[in-house]
Amino acid sequence: MTVLRDQVVKSLVQVEVKANEDGLIPGFNVLVNQLPVAFWNTVAERLMAITPPERKAEMESSLVNCAYECGYHTGYGIITSPEFQSVVMPMVTEGAKDVLRGAFAVFTAWGWAKSGIVQIRDGERMVIRAVDYYEADGGGSGHRAYMVQGVSKAFMELAYAAPYPNGMNTFTCEQTQGIEVGDPHGEFVVTKK
Amino acid sequence: METAKTLPGGTYGECREVCVTQRVGRKSAIPPAEVEGLKGNLETTSIPDLLQFLNAGGKTGQLLLERQSDRPEGRTYFSAGALVHATAGAATGMDALVEMCGWDRGSFAFYANVLSPKASISMPVQQALMEAIRILDERHRPDPKVARPEKERSPRMAKSTRTSTDILEDFLKVPGVLSAVIVGRDGFVIESAGGSSAVNIEDLGAALANAINSVEEMGGELQVSKFQDLFVEYGRAVILCRPAGDAILVVVAPDASKLGIIRHKVKPLVDELSQSL
Protein backbone atom coordinates (compact mmCIF):
# COMPACT_ATOMS: atom_id res chain seq x y z
CA MET A 1 0.00 0.00 0.00
CA THR A 2 1.17 3.48 -0.78
CA VAL A 3 -0.58 6.83 -0.61
CA LEU A 4 -3.30 6.94 -3.23
CA ARG A 5 -3.47 10.46 -4.47
CA ASP A 6 -7.00 10.23 -5.81
CA GLN A 7 -8.35 9.27 -2.38
CA VAL A 8 -6.48 12.13 -0.71
CA VAL A 9 -7.72 14.69 -3.21
CA LYS A 10 -11.32 13.47 -2.98
CA SER A 11 -11.23 13.66 0.82
CA LEU A 12 -9.53 17.02 1.14
CA VAL A 13 -11.60 18.93 -1.39
CA GLN A 14 -14.44 18.41 1.09
CA VAL A 15 -12.62 20.40 3.78
CA GLU A 16 -14.47 23.65 4.30
CA VAL A 17 -12.33 26.64 3.39
CA LYS A 18 -13.63 28.89 6.14
CA ALA A 19 -11.45 31.05 8.37
CA ASN A 20 -11.78 31.43 12.12
CA GLU A 21 -11.50 34.79 13.89
CA ASP A 22 -7.72 34.74 13.27
CA GLY A 23 -8.20 34.22 9.56
CA LEU A 24 -6.97 30.61 9.71
CA ILE A 25 -8.46 27.27 8.72
CA PRO A 26 -8.33 25.77 12.22
CA GLY A 27 -7.26 22.24 11.37
CA PHE A 28 -4.39 23.30 9.15
CA ASN A 29 -3.33 26.66 10.60
CA VAL A 30 -3.40 27.96 7.06
CA LEU A 31 -4.23 31.60 6.42
CA VAL A 32 -7.22 31.93 4.15
CA ASN A 33 -7.27 34.47 1.40
CA GLN A 34 -9.37 34.69 -1.67
CA LEU A 35 -7.09 36.72 -3.91
CA PRO A 36 -6.91 35.62 -7.52
CA VAL A 37 -3.77 33.96 -8.86
CA ALA A 38 -3.38 36.86 -11.27
CA PHE A 39 -2.83 39.17 -8.30
CA TRP A 40 0.18 37.21 -7.07
CA ASN A 41 1.51 36.84 -10.57
CA THR A 42 1.25 40.57 -11.11
CA VAL A 43 3.13 41.26 -7.88
CA ALA A 44 5.98 38.98 -8.96
CA GLU A 45 5.96 40.30 -12.52
CA ARG A 46 6.14 43.95 -11.45
CA LEU A 47 8.84 43.28 -8.90
CA MET A 48 10.92 41.59 -11.58
CA ALA A 49 10.21 44.38 -14.06
CA ILE A 50 11.47 47.14 -11.75
CA THR A 51 14.53 45.20 -10.60
CA PRO A 52 17.77 46.21 -12.37
CA PRO A 53 19.35 43.42 -14.42
CA GLU A 54 22.24 42.92 -12.05
CA ARG A 55 19.86 42.19 -9.16
CA LYS A 56 17.26 40.05 -10.94
CA ALA A 57 18.75 36.79 -9.63
CA GLU A 58 18.53 38.18 -6.12
CA MET A 59 14.88 39.16 -6.62
CA GLU A 60 14.04 35.73 -8.05
CA SER A 61 15.65 34.14 -5.04
CA SER A 62 13.56 36.35 -2.75
CA LEU A 63 10.33 35.40 -4.52
CA VAL A 64 11.20 31.71 -4.20
CA ASN A 65 12.02 32.33 -0.55
CA CYS A 66 8.55 33.80 0.09
CA ALA A 67 6.96 30.58 -1.11
CA TYR A 68 9.59 28.53 0.69
CA GLU A 69 8.99 30.07 4.11
CA CYS A 70 5.25 29.88 3.64
CA GLY A 71 5.52 26.27 2.37
CA TYR A 72 7.71 25.16 5.25
CA HIS A 73 5.41 26.40 8.01
CA THR A 74 2.14 25.73 6.22
CA GLY A 75 3.41 22.31 5.15
CA TYR A 76 4.12 21.45 8.76
CA GLY A 77 0.60 22.54 9.66
CA ILE A 78 -0.77 20.32 6.93
CA ILE A 79 1.13 17.13 7.70
CA THR A 80 0.40 17.38 11.42
CA SER A 81 -3.28 18.25 10.93
CA PRO A 82 -6.03 15.84 12.05
CA GLU A 83 -7.24 15.66 8.45
CA PHE A 84 -3.83 14.54 7.16
CA GLN A 85 -3.45 12.10 10.03
CA SER A 86 -6.82 10.52 9.33
CA VAL A 87 -6.78 10.55 5.52
CA VAL A 88 -3.14 10.15 4.50
CA MET A 89 -1.27 8.50 7.36
CA PRO A 90 -3.22 5.21 7.24
CA MET A 91 -1.89 4.76 3.68
CA VAL A 92 1.72 5.55 4.57
CA THR A 93 3.89 2.45 4.31
CA GLU A 94 7.05 3.95 2.83
CA GLY A 95 7.74 6.56 5.51
CA ALA A 96 8.85 10.01 4.39
CA LYS A 97 8.39 9.11 0.72
CA ASP A 98 4.68 8.50 1.27
CA VAL A 99 4.31 11.60 3.44
CA LEU A 100 5.65 13.60 0.49
CA ARG A 101 3.21 11.90 -1.89
CA GLY A 102 0.42 12.87 0.48
CA ALA A 103 1.70 16.45 0.80
CA PHE A 104 1.71 16.94 -2.99
CA ALA A 105 -1.78 15.44 -3.20
CA VAL A 106 -2.91 18.09 -0.70
CA PHE A 107 -1.05 20.72 -2.72
CA THR A 108 -3.10 19.62 -5.73
CA ALA A 109 -6.40 19.28 -3.88
CA TRP A 110 -6.21 22.87 -2.71
CA GLY A 111 -5.51 24.18 -6.16
CA TRP A 112 -1.96 25.47 -5.66
CA ALA A 113 -0.52 23.36 -8.46
CA LYS A 114 -1.44 20.09 -10.05
CA SER A 115 1.79 18.47 -9.09
CA GLY A 116 3.31 15.16 -8.12
CA ILE A 117 6.47 13.20 -7.62
CA VAL A 118 8.42 11.74 -10.51
CA GLN A 119 11.37 10.45 -8.53
CA ILE A 120 12.58 10.34 -4.94
CA ARG A 121 15.95 9.24 -3.70
CA ASP A 122 15.52 9.03 0.06
CA GLY A 123 16.95 12.13 1.70
CA GLU A 124 18.96 13.04 -1.39
CA ARG A 125 16.95 14.05 -4.41
CA MET A 126 13.38 14.58 -5.54
CA VAL A 127 11.96 15.43 -8.96
CA ILE A 128 8.55 17.09 -9.15
CA ARG A 129 6.41 17.76 -12.18
CA ALA A 130 3.62 20.27 -12.20
CA VAL A 131 0.99 21.52 -14.60
CA ASP A 132 -1.48 24.32 -14.06
CA TYR A 133 0.63 26.10 -11.45
CA TYR A 134 0.36 29.78 -10.51
CA GLU A 135 3.03 31.25 -12.73
CA ALA A 136 2.35 29.03 -15.76
CA ASP A 137 0.17 31.79 -17.26
CA GLY A 138 2.01 34.80 -15.84
CA GLY A 139 4.03 37.33 -17.76
CA GLY A 140 7.79 37.75 -17.74
CA SER A 141 10.69 35.80 -19.12
CA GLY A 142 12.60 32.66 -18.24
CA HIS A 143 11.68 30.05 -15.67
CA ARG A 144 9.56 31.73 -13.03
CA ALA A 145 7.57 29.11 -11.11
CA TYR A 146 8.69 30.61 -7.81
CA MET A 147 5.89 29.10 -5.78
CA VAL A 148 6.40 25.45 -6.76
CA GLN A 149 10.17 25.81 -6.41
CA GLY A 150 9.90 27.15 -2.87
CA VAL A 151 7.25 24.70 -1.73
CA SER A 152 9.02 21.66 -3.23
CA LYS A 153 12.16 22.51 -1.29
CA ALA A 154 10.13 23.12 1.90
CA PHE A 155 8.29 19.79 1.65
CA MET A 156 11.55 17.91 1.11
CA GLU A 157 12.97 19.49 4.24
CA LEU A 158 9.89 18.63 6.28
CA ALA A 159 10.29 15.01 5.16
CA TYR A 160 14.05 14.53 5.36
CA ALA A 161 15.83 17.41 7.16
CA ALA A 162 16.10 18.03 10.92
CA PRO A 163 12.73 18.08 12.73
CA TYR A 164 10.61 21.21 12.40
CA PRO A 165 11.52 24.05 12.83
CA ASN A 166 15.25 23.28 12.59
CA GLY A 167 15.44 21.77 9.10
CA MET A 168 15.44 24.88 6.94
CA ASN A 169 18.05 25.52 4.25
CA THR A 170 19.09 21.88 3.96
CA PHE A 171 17.97 21.45 0.35
CA THR A 172 17.94 23.53 -2.79
CA CYS A 173 15.51 23.46 -5.71
CA GLU A 174 16.15 24.15 -9.36
CA GLN A 175 13.46 24.58 -12.00
CA THR A 176 14.51 22.66 -15.13
CA GLN A 177 11.38 22.97 -17.27
CA GLY A 178 8.47 25.38 -17.34
CA ILE A 179 5.13 25.77 -19.09
CA GLU A 180 5.80 29.52 -19.05
CA VAL A 181 8.74 29.00 -21.42
CA GLY A 182 6.94 26.55 -23.72
CA ASP A 183 7.68 23.18 -22.12
CA PRO A 184 4.81 20.68 -21.70
CA HIS A 185 5.12 20.83 -17.90
CA GLY A 186 7.14 22.37 -15.12
CA GLU A 187 9.89 20.24 -13.63
CA PHE A 188 11.68 20.87 -10.35
CA VAL A 189 14.72 19.09 -9.02
CA VAL A 190 15.35 19.23 -5.28
CA THR A 191 18.83 18.23 -4.10
CA LYS A 192 20.80 18.41 -0.89
CA LYS A 193 22.86 21.59 -0.44
CA MET B 1 3.42 -10.05 -65.04
CA GLU B 2 3.04 -9.30 -61.38
CA THR B 3 -0.21 -8.13 -59.94
CA ALA B 4 -0.77 -6.81 -56.47
CA LYS B 5 -4.00 -7.79 -54.82
CA THR B 6 -5.70 -7.00 -51.58
CA LEU B 7 -5.02 -8.99 -48.50
CA PRO B 8 -7.45 -11.73 -47.56
CA GLY B 9 -10.23 -10.35 -45.45
CA GLY B 10 -9.03 -6.80 -45.99
CA THR B 11 -8.48 -6.34 -42.27
CA TYR B 12 -4.74 -6.08 -42.27
CA GLY B 13 -4.45 -2.63 -43.71
CA GLU B 14 -2.02 -1.39 -41.06
CA CYS B 15 0.68 -3.77 -42.17
CA ARG B 16 1.72 -1.78 -45.21
CA GLU B 17 5.09 -3.46 -45.54
CA VAL B 18 3.79 -6.90 -46.46
CA CYS B 19 4.09 -7.55 -50.15
CA VAL B 20 1.27 -9.64 -51.55
CA THR B 21 1.80 -10.95 -55.03
CA GLN B 22 0.40 -13.39 -57.49
CA ARG B 23 2.87 -14.45 -60.09
CA VAL B 24 1.59 -15.54 -63.42
CA GLY B 25 3.71 -16.78 -66.28
CA ARG B 26 7.01 -16.33 -64.47
CA LYS B 27 9.49 -19.13 -64.16
CA SER B 28 9.92 -19.95 -60.51
CA ALA B 29 11.41 -22.75 -58.44
CA ILE B 30 8.18 -22.89 -56.52
CA PRO B 31 4.93 -23.84 -58.24
CA PRO B 32 2.66 -20.80 -58.74
CA ALA B 33 -0.05 -22.17 -56.51
CA GLU B 34 2.38 -22.24 -53.60
CA VAL B 35 3.89 -18.81 -54.16
CA GLU B 36 0.55 -17.08 -53.99
CA GLY B 37 0.53 -15.36 -50.62
CA LEU B 38 2.84 -13.27 -48.51
CA LYS B 39 6.44 -12.35 -48.80
CA GLY B 40 8.54 -9.52 -47.47
CA ASN B 41 11.34 -8.75 -45.10
CA LEU B 42 11.66 -8.85 -41.34
CA GLU B 43 13.05 -5.36 -41.06
CA THR B 44 9.64 -3.95 -41.78
CA THR B 45 7.31 -6.70 -40.58
CA SER B 46 7.88 -8.57 -37.34
CA ILE B 47 7.48 -12.30 -36.89
CA PRO B 48 4.82 -11.94 -34.14
CA ASP B 49 2.79 -9.75 -36.52
CA LEU B 50 3.07 -12.32 -39.29
CA LEU B 51 2.07 -15.24 -37.12
CA GLN B 52 -0.93 -13.36 -35.77
CA PHE B 53 -1.98 -12.48 -39.30
CA LEU B 54 -1.76 -16.08 -40.51
CA ASN B 55 -3.68 -17.17 -37.44
CA ALA B 56 -6.41 -14.59 -37.96
CA GLY B 57 -6.72 -15.57 -41.62
CA GLY B 58 -7.16 -19.27 -40.80
CA LYS B 59 -4.25 -20.14 -43.11
CA THR B 60 -2.77 -23.52 -43.85
CA GLY B 61 0.82 -23.66 -45.07
CA GLN B 62 4.42 -23.01 -44.31
CA LEU B 63 6.07 -19.68 -43.41
CA LEU B 64 9.70 -19.79 -44.42
CA LEU B 65 12.10 -17.35 -42.77
CA GLU B 66 15.47 -16.90 -44.39
CA ARG B 67 18.41 -14.93 -43.05
CA GLN B 68 22.01 -14.64 -44.19
CA SER B 69 23.28 -17.79 -45.87
CA ASP B 70 25.42 -18.81 -42.90
CA ARG B 71 22.54 -18.60 -40.46
CA PRO B 72 19.86 -21.23 -39.92
CA GLU B 73 16.49 -20.69 -41.54
CA GLY B 74 13.21 -20.96 -39.73
CA ARG B 75 9.94 -22.60 -40.66
CA THR B 76 6.55 -22.42 -39.05
CA TYR B 77 3.56 -24.48 -40.14
CA PHE B 78 -0.07 -23.54 -39.86
CA SER B 79 -3.14 -25.70 -40.15
CA ALA B 80 -6.42 -23.81 -40.50
CA GLY B 81 -4.91 -20.88 -38.61
CA ALA B 82 -3.39 -22.95 -35.80
CA LEU B 83 0.35 -22.89 -35.32
CA VAL B 84 1.32 -26.57 -35.20
CA HIS B 85 5.04 -26.77 -35.73
CA ALA B 86 8.18 -24.60 -35.81
CA THR B 87 11.83 -25.24 -36.60
CA ALA B 88 14.85 -22.94 -36.46
CA GLY B 89 18.06 -24.73 -37.30
CA ALA B 90 18.21 -27.69 -34.93
CA ALA B 91 15.60 -26.23 -32.56
CA THR B 92 11.96 -27.27 -32.80
CA GLY B 93 8.68 -26.32 -31.15
CA MET B 94 8.73 -23.49 -28.59
CA ASP B 95 12.53 -23.35 -28.60
CA ALA B 96 12.39 -22.58 -32.31
CA LEU B 97 9.66 -19.99 -31.83
CA VAL B 98 11.66 -18.22 -29.12
CA GLU B 99 14.67 -18.20 -31.43
CA MET B 100 12.70 -16.74 -34.32
CA CYS B 101 11.01 -14.04 -32.22
CA GLY B 102 14.46 -12.55 -31.73
CA TRP B 103 15.09 -12.21 -35.46
CA ASP B 104 14.67 -8.78 -37.00
CA ARG B 105 16.53 -9.23 -40.27
CA GLY B 106 15.92 -11.54 -43.21
CA SER B 107 13.08 -12.36 -45.54
CA PHE B 108 9.91 -14.36 -45.31
CA ALA B 109 7.55 -16.12 -47.69
CA PHE B 110 4.35 -18.01 -47.03
CA TYR B 111 3.67 -21.15 -49.06
CA ALA B 112 0.02 -22.02 -48.93
CA ASN B 113 -1.21 -25.57 -48.42
CA VAL B 114 2.16 -26.99 -47.40
CA LEU B 115 1.33 -29.48 -44.65
CA SER B 116 3.35 -29.78 -41.48
CA PRO B 117 5.55 -32.89 -41.21
CA LYS B 118 4.88 -33.07 -37.47
CA ALA B 119 3.24 -31.28 -34.54
CA SER B 120 5.45 -29.65 -31.92
CA ILE B 121 3.30 -26.74 -30.66
CA SER B 122 -0.06 -27.31 -29.05
CA MET B 123 -1.00 -23.91 -27.63
CA PRO B 124 -2.92 -21.06 -29.33
CA VAL B 125 -0.78 -18.66 -31.38
CA GLN B 126 -1.33 -15.71 -29.03
CA GLN B 127 -0.35 -17.73 -25.99
CA ALA B 128 2.66 -19.26 -27.77
CA LEU B 129 3.87 -15.81 -28.82
CA MET B 130 3.48 -14.34 -25.36
CA GLU B 131 5.35 -17.25 -23.86
CA ALA B 132 8.09 -16.99 -26.50
CA ILE B 133 8.51 -13.26 -25.92
CA ARG B 134 8.53 -13.76 -22.16
CA ILE B 135 11.34 -16.33 -22.50
CA LEU B 136 13.19 -14.02 -24.87
CA ASP B 137 12.89 -11.17 -22.35
CA GLU B 138 14.23 -13.41 -19.60
CA ARG B 139 17.24 -14.26 -21.72
CA HIS B 140 18.02 -10.63 -22.38
CA ARG B 141 17.51 -9.49 -18.79
CA PRO B 142 20.85 -8.80 -17.11
CA ASP B 143 21.79 -11.22 -14.34
CA PRO B 144 21.50 -9.23 -11.08
CA LYS B 145 24.20 -11.43 -9.55
CA VAL B 146 26.70 -10.20 -12.11
CA ALA B 147 28.18 -6.88 -11.00
CA ARG B 148 28.24 -4.28 -13.75
CA PRO B 149 31.35 -2.25 -14.37
CA GLU B 150 31.55 0.86 -12.21
CA LYS B 151 31.18 3.24 -15.12
CA GLU B 152 27.77 1.76 -15.97
CA ARG B 153 26.52 2.56 -12.50
CA SER B 154 27.34 6.22 -12.76
CA PRO B 155 24.05 8.14 -13.11
CA ARG B 156 25.66 10.51 -15.55
CA MET B 157 26.92 7.72 -17.79
CA ALA B 158 23.73 5.71 -17.57
CA LYS B 159 21.37 8.63 -18.00
CA SER B 160 19.37 8.55 -21.20
CA THR B 161 20.05 11.50 -23.45
CA ARG B 162 16.42 11.62 -24.58
CA THR B 163 13.63 13.10 -22.49
CA SER B 164 10.62 11.13 -21.36
CA THR B 165 8.55 13.17 -23.82
CA ASP B 166 10.69 11.93 -26.74
CA ILE B 167 10.51 8.35 -25.56
CA LEU B 168 6.74 8.44 -25.07
CA GLU B 169 6.34 9.59 -28.66
CA ASP B 170 8.21 6.46 -29.76
CA PHE B 171 5.69 4.28 -27.94
CA LEU B 172 3.03 5.64 -30.27
CA LYS B 173 5.02 4.33 -33.26
CA VAL B 174 4.56 0.75 -32.06
CA PRO B 175 1.74 -0.80 -34.11
CA GLY B 176 -1.49 -0.98 -32.13
CA VAL B 177 -0.51 1.42 -29.32
CA LEU B 178 -3.13 4.14 -28.79
CA SER B 179 -1.59 5.85 -25.81
CA ALA B 180 1.34 5.63 -23.46
CA VAL B 181 1.17 7.05 -19.96
CA ILE B 182 3.69 7.39 -17.13
CA VAL B 183 1.94 7.07 -13.79
CA GLY B 184 3.48 7.57 -10.34
CA ARG B 185 2.94 4.89 -7.69
CA ASP B 186 0.41 7.20 -6.05
CA GLY B 187 -1.60 7.56 -9.29
CA PHE B 188 -0.17 10.93 -10.38
CA VAL B 189 -0.17 11.08 -14.19
CA ILE B 190 3.39 12.25 -14.79
CA GLU B 191 3.13 12.42 -18.55
CA SER B 192 1.12 10.96 -21.41
CA ALA B 193 1.15 10.70 -25.17
CA GLY B 194 -1.60 9.77 -27.58
CA GLY B 195 -5.16 9.14 -26.47
CA SER B 196 -7.94 6.63 -26.42
CA SER B 197 -11.66 7.26 -26.57
CA ALA B 198 -12.14 4.17 -24.40
CA VAL B 199 -9.91 5.25 -21.51
CA ASN B 200 -9.76 8.56 -19.62
CA ILE B 201 -6.10 9.13 -18.80
CA GLU B 202 -6.69 10.83 -15.42
CA ASP B 203 -9.03 8.06 -14.31
CA LEU B 204 -6.48 5.54 -15.54
CA GLY B 205 -3.83 6.95 -13.19
CA ALA B 206 -6.06 6.67 -10.12
CA ALA B 207 -7.40 3.22 -11.03
CA LEU B 208 -3.97 1.91 -11.86
CA ALA B 209 -2.48 3.00 -8.54
CA ASN B 210 -5.20 0.99 -6.80
CA ALA B 211 -4.59 -2.04 -9.01
CA ILE B 212 -0.81 -1.97 -8.67
CA ASN B 213 -1.13 -1.65 -4.90
CA SER B 214 -3.25 -4.80 -4.84
CA VAL B 215 -0.96 -6.65 -7.21
CA GLU B 216 2.11 -5.75 -5.16
CA GLU B 217 0.42 -6.73 -1.92
CA MET B 218 -0.41 -10.08 -3.48
CA GLY B 219 3.20 -10.47 -4.60
CA GLY B 220 4.35 -9.68 -1.09
CA GLU B 221 2.00 -12.20 0.49
CA LEU B 222 3.00 -14.88 -1.99
CA GLN B 223 6.66 -13.92 -1.59
CA VAL B 224 7.21 -13.87 -5.34
CA SER B 225 9.06 -10.53 -5.45
CA LYS B 226 7.88 -7.34 -7.15
CA PHE B 227 5.58 -7.28 -10.15
CA GLN B 228 7.26 -6.98 -13.53
CA ASP B 229 4.44 -7.06 -16.00
CA LEU B 230 0.68 -6.62 -15.82
CA PHE B 231 -1.68 -7.19 -18.71
CA VAL B 232 -5.45 -6.74 -18.54
CA GLU B 233 -7.78 -7.36 -21.45
CA TYR B 234 -11.16 -5.65 -21.44
CA GLY B 235 -13.88 -5.65 -24.07
CA ARG B 236 -12.87 -2.25 -25.45
CA ALA B 237 -9.23 -1.89 -24.45
CA VAL B 238 -6.12 -3.76 -23.50
CA ILE B 239 -3.86 -2.28 -20.80
CA LEU B 240 -0.26 -3.28 -20.37
CA CYS B 241 1.80 -2.03 -17.39
CA ARG B 242 5.48 -2.27 -16.54
CA PRO B 243 7.58 -0.60 -13.85
CA ALA B 244 9.73 2.25 -15.18
CA GLY B 245 12.01 3.64 -12.51
CA ASP B 246 9.87 4.80 -9.59
CA ALA B 247 6.85 5.01 -11.86
CA ILE B 248 4.70 2.70 -13.99
CA LEU B 249 4.52 2.77 -17.77
CA VAL B 250 1.02 2.07 -19.07
CA VAL B 251 0.29 1.25 -22.68
CA VAL B 252 -3.27 1.23 -23.99
CA ALA B 253 -4.22 -0.75 -27.10
CA PRO B 254 -7.66 -1.31 -28.63
CA ASP B 255 -7.42 -5.10 -28.49
CA ALA B 256 -4.97 -7.97 -28.01
CA SER B 257 -4.34 -8.68 -31.70
CA LYS B 258 -0.93 -6.98 -31.62
CA LEU B 259 -0.01 -7.78 -28.07
CA GLY B 260 2.98 -9.88 -29.08
CA ILE B 261 4.62 -7.13 -31.10
CA ILE B 262 3.68 -4.50 -28.53
CA ARG B 263 5.38 -6.40 -25.73
CA HIS B 264 8.41 -7.01 -27.89
CA LYS B 265 8.82 -3.41 -29.06
CA VAL B 266 7.90 -1.78 -25.76
CA LYS B 267 10.59 -3.48 -23.68
CA PRO B 268 13.64 -1.48 -24.86
CA LEU B 269 11.63 1.75 -24.64
CA VAL B 270 10.67 0.98 -21.03
CA ASP B 271 14.33 0.36 -20.24
CA GLU B 272 15.25 3.71 -21.76
CA LEU B 273 12.38 5.43 -19.97
CA SER B 274 13.52 3.98 -16.64
CA GLN B 275 16.87 5.66 -17.13
CA SER B 276 15.27 8.90 -18.23
CA LEU B 277 13.14 9.02 -15.07
Side-chain angles (χ1 to χ4, degrees):
Chain A
M1 185 75 166
T2 186
V3 169
L4 298 173
R5 174 186 176 83
D6 190 53
Q7 289 185 20
V8 178
V9 172
K10 282 178 179 162
S11 298
L12 290 183
V13 291
Q14 292 169 16
V15 172
E16 194 178 11
V17 183
K18 188 178 175 184
N20 63 12
E21 63 275 17
D22 298 322
L24 303 171
I25 300 177
F28 292 87
N29 284 332
V30 173
L31 184 68
V32 179
N33 75 58
Q34 304 285 353
L35 293 169
V37 166
F39 169 80
W40 297 110
N41 281 346
T42 304
V43 169
E45 197 180 326
R46 289 188 182 173
L47 281 170
M48 287 302 293
I50 61 170
T51 304
E54 69 276 12
R55 299 200 67 185
K56 282 201 188 292
E58 203 180 328
M59 178 56 76
E60 280 181 346
S61 174
S62 297
L63 288 167
V64 170
N65 200 58
C66 290
Y68 166 60
E69 297 234 2
C70 173
Y72 188 73
H73 301 294
T74 303
Y76 181 75
I78 289 171
I79 64 176
T80 54
S81 66
E83 286 81 355
F84 196 89
Q85 295 296 316
S86 63
V87 173
V88 179
M89 292 312 283
M91 292 190 273
V92 170
T93 54
E94 293 186 67
K97 199 182 270 193
D98 269 347
V99 170
L100 277 168
R101 286 179 177 135
F104 278 96
V106 175
F107 201 51
T108 301
W110 286 8
W112 288 322
K114 191 174 177 183
S115 54
I117 296 166
V118 175
Q119 181 198 76
I120 300 183
R121 297 282 167 261
D122 272 324
E124 296 295 328
R125 185 173 193 269
M126 173 172 73
V127 179
I128 296 296
R129 278 199 191 169
V131 293
D132 199 18
Y133 49 86
Y134 277 26
E135 297 91 345
D137 304 323
S141 61
H143 289 146
R144 49 190 184 278
Y146 313 117
M147 194 265 291
V148 188
Q149 274 187 72
V151 170
S152 297
K153 176 182 155 181
F155 281 6
M156 187 73 170
E157 287 175 349
L158 287 168
Y160 289 108
Y164 180 89
N166 301 316
M168 295 186 84
N169 294 311
T170 310
F171 288 88
T172 184
C173 181
E174 183 192 359
Q175 183 180 0
T176 54
Q177 293 187 66
I179 296 170
E180 66 277 17
V181 295
D183 294 323
H185 45 248
E187 188 168 275
F188 307 87
V189 181
V190 183
T191 50
K192 216 165 189 174
K193 269 188 175 173
Chain B
M1 187 178 118
E2 189 165 291
T3 310
K5 69 174 189 179
T6 54
L7 289 161
T11 56
Y12 205 63
E14 289 174 32
C15 188
R16 294 184 297 269
E17 301 86 359
V18 175
C19 172
V20 183
T21 60
Q22 181 176 26
R23 295 178 186 175
V24 180
R26 172 183 282 188
K27 188 175 179 183
S28 168
I30 303 162
E34 292 181 2
V35 175
E36 183 178 346
L38 301 173
K39 69 172 191 173
N41 69 71
L42 298 176
E43 286 153 44
T44 51
T45 305
S46 75
I47 291 170
D49 255 0
L50 281 170
L51 300 191
Q52 288 178 93
F53 170 64
L54 295 170
N55 168 243
K59 299 293 181 187
T60 296
Q62 178 204 68
L63 180 69
L64 176 64
L65 305 162
E66 292 181 308
R67 299 190 297 163
Q68 293 166 347
S69 55
D70 59 334
R71 293 188 166 195
E73 64 181 21
R75 293 169 194 268
T76 60
Y77 295 87
F78 281 80
S79 176
L83 177 61
V84 290
H85 182 47
T87 66
T92 61
M94 279 305 293
D95 288 342
L97 192 59
V98 172
E99 177 77 16
M100 285 185 278
C101 281
W103 296 355
D104 56 7
R105 287 175 192 278
S107 61
F108 66 82
F110 182 72
Y111 302 114
N113 301 319
V114 175
L115 299 179
S116 174
K118 60 185 283 195
S120 60
I121 294 175
S122 55
M123 61 179 85
V125 170
Q126 196 68 33
Q127 190 182 341
L129 276 173
M130 286 179 71
E131 180 62 10
I133 289 168
R134 185 191 66 75
I135 295 169
L136 198 62
D137 281 353
E138 292 290 328
R139 285 183 187 171
H140 290 161
R141 188 167 291 157
D143 185 348
K145 293 174 189 163
V146 178
R148 288 180 294 165
E150 188 60 35
K151 68 176 182 179
E152 285 182 28
R153 284 197 212 131
S154 157
R156 189 175 290 275
M157 291 293 288
K159 194 81 178 169
S160 167
T161 53
R162 297 203 301 159
T163 66
S164 56
T165 307
D166 299 331
I167 300 166
L168 276 188
E169 288 300 321
D170 277 3
F171 279 99
L172 299 182
K173 294 174 187 166
V174 177
V177 171
L178 292 178
S179 55
V181 187
I182 309 169
V183 178
R185 297 269 172 174
D186 56 355
F188 174 55
V189 176
I190 295 171
E191 197 168 355
S192 66
S196 162
S197 58
V199 179
N200 177 294
I201 300 300
E202 292 297 324
D203 292 346
L204 175 70
L208 189 80
N210 268 308
I212 296 295
N213 260 309
S214 303
V215 166
E216 291 200 325
E217 273 180 23
M218 186 171 81
E221 283 176 18
L222 298 175
Q223 298 184 329
V224 288
S225 193
K226 294 193 171 177
F227 104 97
Q228 297 182 345
D229 206 351
L230 176 67
F231 155 69
V232 191
E233 182 175 3
Y234 295 100
R236 292 176 54 216
V238 166
I239 295 171
L240 180 77
C241 310
R242 282 190 177 179
D246 289 342
I248 311 287
L249 182 278
V250 188
V251 166
V252 181
D255 55 54
S257 64
K258 293 189 185 300
L259 190 62
I261 185 67
I262 289 173
R263 293 183 67 160
H264 185 59
K265 299 268 187 189
V266 152
K267 188 181 179 307
L269 292 173
V270 173
D271 291 344
E272 187 181 2
L273 191 62
S274 299
Q275 291 193 3
S276 164
L277 292 173

